[in-house]
Amino acid sequence: MAVAELDLDPDGPDGPVLSFGPALGGPPPGAGDIFALVRLRGRPIATVLGHVGADEDPAEVLTAVFRARKGPYGPPAPAEPTPAKPTRAAPTPAEPVREAPVREAPAYGAPAPPAAVVTAPPRTTVVVATRERAGQLARALDSLLAQDHPDFRVLVVDNAPVTTATRDLVESRYAGRVDYVQEPRPGLAVAHNSGAAAADGTVIAFTDDDVIADPHWLTALTTPFAADPGLGCVTGLILPARLTTSAQILLESHGGFAKGFEPRLYDPASPPADEPLFPFTAGSFGSGANMAFRAEALRAVGGFDPATGTGTPARGGDDLYAFVRILAEGHRLRYAPEALVWHHHRETWQDLRNQAYGYGAGLTAYLTAILVRHPALLPALLAKLPRGLAHARAITAHRPDPAGDPAPGTHGARAHAWPRDLSRLERRGMLYGPLGYLKARIRVRRQTDGRTQPRGEAQPRGEAQPRGEARVRRRARVRRRTSGGR
């Protein structure tokens, strides 16, 4: 399936324009499916999926699909955020989950808003944590260096490297344009904290080494900080760069990482009445591949919990922890869909299984971190616990395969049944998360005290090890036993 962008500029002389920029590869040869981001005068407003015949014009087909769903298009809607509403309401345990967590931009045919005062984005450091993925990193860095932001710096954090590939890449291909920091302790949160410590400027933005950033991404992500001094965090839109495997298509058909096309503002001083779990539904705020923080606010809450995140026994939750801590301190959080990155989803079924388990573990690990490090939040969490358990059960439920065309809110992708084994893995991850977090805390404490050096960690139950790695581990154990433990 090809990935494209469809620009519906009604003022342009040539009508809708279709481009295939972010994907690796071009349009499908002859007939094929195309997943397209729809823009109106450059602003992301929706996604559509269309099948293009061998003799059909792809732009015309996708425009017709969009019009059939949304009607005639006009000037874009106001870009000001609306009061936050949940991505989907927390259902009761008996209620099936059928709605994917993405919505279209509202009222795209409404009159254009008055011209806003242009505010210059603040000085920003972009932190990219990476580990032994120099090829992907180069692709991400190329897109970051092409940003239209007027004042930014790119910083690569090489996390627990085993080779010099990342350092060699930065110091040769990007010398003088990208800064390099090495963090020997494993863990995404540790790497992010190292990047934050080395950052300068008002804002610190974070993204991953497997994304391609839209040229306007950093400007859209950081400009809101200049307009709102009470803003502590901004997150943005994440869409797939490729949809070439069944695992990638399945993930995206159930929402992927996207949080919709409507700007939203989360204000702890005025909690959304229709989101009873706020602020503990941190997954609805955004994702770590596309987030920025006011530097002083992030440092004031102690940064990221080093016992969370990929590369630790906790398996994830570092971004969720930071979102909740920022809101708990009274700062506002904004979701800005104009801040777009294209993400390279995991390609294999085993990758998707690992991801499902990790999401479940990261969810309960971050909640455990909140309670352990900030017990004053316990009463608020306990009051929301019954609804939270129902919500957790619902989001990991088996999703039936809806018949017919995708309904509004399904992210423009055809629906596919969510395998029951992925739901079970996610729930098993949830059970493991608190234990994983406690293991990670012990490891962090030992590393801090200097008693042990960082070591590679075993995979938790529920996730298969790569066969080669497992074989090496077994042989090493046999050698130790036969050599008397040496």
Side-chain angles (χ1 to χ4, degrees):
M1 183 185 300
V3 177
E5 297 183 68
L6 178 67
D7 196 337
L8 300 176
D9 186 354
D11 300 326
D14 301 323
V17 177
L18 189 69
S19 59
F20 292 87
L24 295 180
D33 290 332
I34 299 178
F35 174 92
L37 166 67
V38 182
R39 295 181 184 263
L40 187 57
R41 295 190 180 93
R43 178 183 167 220
I45 61 171
T47 55
V48 294
L49 175 65
H51 181 81
V52 179
D55 298 325
E56 293 181 306
D57 181 277
E60 291 181 359
V61 171
L62 293 170
T63 300
V65 172
F66 175 78
R67 284 175 170 164
R69 290 174 54 193
K70 302 290 289 184
Y73 53 85
E80 288 302 311
T82 58
K85 294 181 180 180
T87 303
R88 62 183 176 197
T92 61
E95 181 184 351
V97 178
R98 300 180 65 92
E99 183 179 354
V102 175
R103 296 178 292 176
E104 315 299 343
Y108 62 90
V117 176
V118 178
T119 304
R123 166 73 175 172
T124 301
T125 297
V126 182
V127 175
V128 186
T130 186
R131 188 172 192 269
E132 303 302 334
R133 300 204 294 190
Q136 291 190 90
L137 176 63
R139 184 176 56 201
L141 293 178
D142 288 342
S143 71
L144 293 175
L145 293 173
Q147 295 296 300
D148 62 10
H149 191 289
D151 187 14
F152 71 100
R153 167 192 176 206
V154 178
L155 176 65
V156 168
V157 181
D158 196 2
N159 188 213
V162 295
T163 72
T164 63
T166 299
R167 178 191 288 272
D168 294 343
L169 173 73
V170 173
E171 293 182 349
S172 59
R173 182 168 170 177
Y174 301 101
R177 297 186 294 161
V178 174
D179 295 325
Y180 174 92
V181 171
Q182 184 180 116
E183 171 50 64
R185 297 170 298 168
L188 184 59
V190 174
H192 280 169
N193 285 338
S194 294
D200 62 338
T202 303
V203 174
I204 308 172
F206 298 89
T207 191
D208 291 346
D209 60 8
D210 55 359
V211 308
I212 298 174
D214 181 81
H216 190 59
W217 165 70
L218 192 58
T219 296
L221 190 69
T222 59
T223 298
F225 290 101
D228 182 358
L231 199 62
C233 178
V234 178
T235 63
L237 176 64
I238 303 175
L239 291 178
R242 300 184 71 189
L243 290 173
T244 56
T245 72
S246 55
Q248 292 173 330
I249 293 171
L250 176 66
L251 176 63
E252 196 60 32
S253 74
H254 287 276
F257 297 95
K259 307 301 177 185
F261 295 90
E262 178 183 352
R264 295 194 293 275
L265 182 67
Y266 296 91
D267 188 347
S270 181
D274 53 357
E275 190 165 351
L277 302 180
F278 179 85
F280 299 108
T281 48
S284 66
F285 304 149
S287 299
N290 192 352
M291 62 184 182
F293 296 86
R294 192 178 298 276
E296 62 180 3
L298 182 63
R299 290 169 180 148
V301 300
F304 300 88
D305 186 333
T308 59
T310 305
T312 72
R315 306 296 304 280
D318 53 309
D319 49 352
L320 308 183
Y321 173 87
F323 297 154
V324 172
R325 287 293 294 121
I326 287 290
L327 288 165
E329 290 299 313
H331 301 285
R332 289 184 284 276
L333 183 151
R334 175 174 176 169
Y335 172 69
E338 299 88 355
L340 166 67
V341 299
W342 301 89
H343 180 262
H344 287 80
H345 294 352
R346 310 288 179 85
E347 296 184 355
T348 70
W349 282 107
Q350 187 58 53
D351 289 338
L352 193 57
R353 287 172 56 83
N354 295 348
Q355 197 168 27
Y357 187 90
Y359 282 166
L363 175 64
T364 52
Y366 109 80
L367 289 172
T368 306
I370 288 290
L371 297 182
V372 169
R373 293 171 63 98
H374 308 282
L377 294 174
L378 177 60
L381 181 59
L382 289 178
K384 302 172 189 291
L385 188 59
R387 292 293 301 272
L389 292 175
H391 178 73
R393 182 182 185 277
I395 64 176
T396 61
H398 172 69
R399 285 85 159 175
D401 188 6
D405 295 331
T410 57
H411 199 18
R414 294 198 178 102
H416 298 264
W418 188 256
R420 294 181 184 274
D421 67 319
L422 293 183
S423 296
R424 287 193 292 266
L425 275 174
E426 196 166 358
R427 289 172 179 166
R428 287 167 63 182
M430 289 180 178
L431 294 175
Y432 167 80
L435 176 61
Y437 175 73
L438 295 178
K439 288 181 177 179
R441 272 184 70 87
I442 293 172
R443 191 179 75 173
V444 168
R445 187 174 301 165
R446 288 175 175 171
Q447 292 172 6
T448 303
D449 294 343
R451 292 197 295 265
T452 62
Q453 295 296 319
R455 295 182 298 173
E457 65 193 52
Q459 303 276 5
R461 294 180 65 184
E463 176 177 348
Q465 293 183 8
R467 291 183 178 179
E469 179 180 342
R471 189 179 298 117
V472 169
R473 291 177 184 271
R474 287 196 299 270
R475 289 175 178 173
R477 287 196 295 269
V478 170
R479 284 197 299 269
R480 286 196 296 269
R481 287 196 296 266
T482 56
S483 61
R486 292 189 300 273

